[in-house]
Amino acid sequence: MGSFFRSILYILRLIRSKSPILAVDGVILKENKILLVKRAIPPFSDYWSLPGGHVKYGETVEEAIKREMKEELGMEFKIKKLVGVYSDPKRDPRYHSTAVMFLLAKVDGKEIHLNFEGSKYKYFSFKELPQKIGFDHRKIIEDFFKVHL
């Protein structure tokens, strides 16, 4: 089955679905700064966000976060711990989604290589977060730093 056809089926399932869509996001730290990616695609184009994405059917959230990091950042990460679950029905303007957040650590020494979804990346301190942060990621970051600073 072609990727275009799979994308159409995915969109149709989203439209018909009465259940939240499951997503994963990664918290990646370097010297007490958090990695954010500037989005190059809607929603929230030109806003900063945590790297992550959707869980595929038949995939665990642990598999999904590792796959998403490899796809979006071009490198492998290991899960250090579960950060939390965020389920506000308005967290994503497209549909009701629930995100599982993981604290991650690099597995290898490779540099980050963004795919088409991100235009650039940067590590931000808690006091220097950008104004434009997409989804509910500002709340997630604030919650994380309350516990881990």
Side-chain angles (χ1 to χ4, degrees):
M1 187 177 346
S3 64
F4 177 75
F5 185 65
R6 278 195 303 273
S7 297
I8 296 298
L9 285 177
Y10 180 74
I11 290 168
L12 289 173
R13 272 190 256 126
L14 289 176
I15 292 168
R16 287 189 359 191
S17 177
K18 296 288 186 199
S19 300
I21 304 302
L22 188 58
V24 291
D25 291 303
V27 173
I28 301 164
L29 299 177
K30 181 179 179 181
E31 300 169 3
N32 287 325
K33 294 181 177 182
I34 194 163
L35 177 72
L36 296 178
V37 175
K38 194 165 207 180
R39 290 179 59 85
I41 60 171
F44 296 109
S45 294
D46 293 322
Y47 280 65
W48 295 91
S49 69
L50 296 164
H54 294 102
V55 178
K56 293 181 178 180
Y57 185 81
E59 186 176 50
T60 67
V61 292
E62 294 86 359
E63 292 167 340
I65 192 65
K66 291 176 183 178
R67 175 187 50 76
E68 283 290 340
M69 295 305 102
K70 184 75 170 164
E71 288 175 6
E72 289 189 21
L73 304 178
M75 52 192 313
E76 294 184 24
F77 289 85
K78 66 179 180 178
I79 297 170
K80 290 181 78 174
K81 69 182 220 173
L82 176 68
V83 170
V85 177
Y86 289 81
S87 60
D88 182 340
K90 294 181 172 80
R91 68 177 305 275
D92 188 320
R94 300 169 292 185
Y95 38 71
H96 181 180
S97 72
T98 296
V100 180
M101 312 302 297
F102 291 100
L103 177 61
L104 304 173
K106 285 184 182 182
V107 170
D108 55 37
K110 292 182 181 176
E111 291 295 316
I112 291 173
H113 293 288
L114 298 175
N115 71 0
F116 68 94
E117 296 176 42
S119 61
K120 63 181 175 178
Y121 70 92
K122 184 177 175 181
Y123 288 90
F124 291 92
S125 72
F126 179 67
K127 293 181 179 178
E128 298 173 341
L129 291 174
Q131 289 296 314
K132 293 170 62 174
I133 298 179
F135 304 99
D136 59 349
H137 291 184
R138 182 176 301 280
K139 177 179 179 10
I140 293 164
I141 294 165
E142 289 171 352
D143 289 352
F144 179 81
F145 278 114
K146 280 181 200 171
V147 174
H148 295 90
L149 264 186

